[in-house]
Amino acid sequence: MYVSAQPDKGGIGLDRVEFAKLVVQILRHVGDRLGRDLFSTAALDMMLDLYVREEHRPISLTNLSGAAAVPERTALFIINKLVSRGLLVRYPDPKDGRRVNVDLSAGGLRLLEECIDELMSMIAEQ
């Protein structure tokens, strides 16, 4: 389980989690308007879903697949890629050995927060 260190408001009045939630809303809106078949950010959708969770706890592969709005096989393929690149970690659920949980890795958290900080800086400069 990761713990996100929240910086100051980054000059735009939002902290990282608030900004990430706004990004999720923007991506969903664009996907709704253009159609998910034309606009898909499945890997980012999954990483942001883990990041903005209120409890900041890992979730099952099945639940994470639902965050991407792509077929489950596609979501599992993307999750495997994210794990192989060290952005997510996968491990057995301690309460249910049949279930596999997924969470952001330390490297995935760091990369996501760096991206969020860079986007917030770009907006603040405008």
Side-chain angles (χ1 to χ4, degrees):
M1 185 161 69
Y2 68 90
V3 177
S4 172
Q6 291 298 312
D8 62 58
K9 299 285 185 172
I12 63 169
L14 300 172
D15 65 30
R16 283 183 183 139
V17 172
E18 292 166 340
F19 185 80
K21 287 179 181 180
L22 178 60
V23 170
V24 169
Q25 288 177 322
I26 291 168
L27 294 174
R28 284 189 184 146
H29 177 77
V30 173
D32 290 345
R33 298 289 288 158
L34 293 178
R36 288 289 176 177
D37 58 328
L38 295 176
F39 181 80
S40 177
T41 57
L44 181 58
D45 290 343
M46 287 186 259
M47 290 181 72
L48 286 170
D49 186 66
L50 287 167
Y51 186 75
V52 301
R53 289 186 152 297
E54 298 294 327
E55 306 86 22
H56 293 295
R57 61 177 168 73
I59 61 173
S60 71
L61 283 171
T62 304
N63 287 340
L64 186 58
S65 296
V70 295
E72 190 170 338
R73 287 181 64 122
T74 302
L76 291 174
F77 177 77
I78 293 168
I79 290 168
N80 288 336
K81 275 187 158 182
L82 291 167
V83 169
S84 71
R85 292 185 187 181
L87 300 173
L88 297 183
V89 291
R90 179 178 33 210
Y91 52 90
D93 186 317
K95 296 178 184 170
D96 182 350
R98 299 167 295 169
R99 181 180 294 166
V100 176
N101 287 336
V102 184
D103 202 357
L104 288 169
S105 67
L109 175 63
R110 184 174 50 255
L111 178 65
L112 193 56
E113 288 189 337
E114 287 170 1
C115 288
I116 290 169
D117 289 345
E118 290 163 0
L119 291 171
M120 291 171 69
S121 292
M122 284 184 221
I123 292 170
E125 291 172 4
Q126 295 303 312

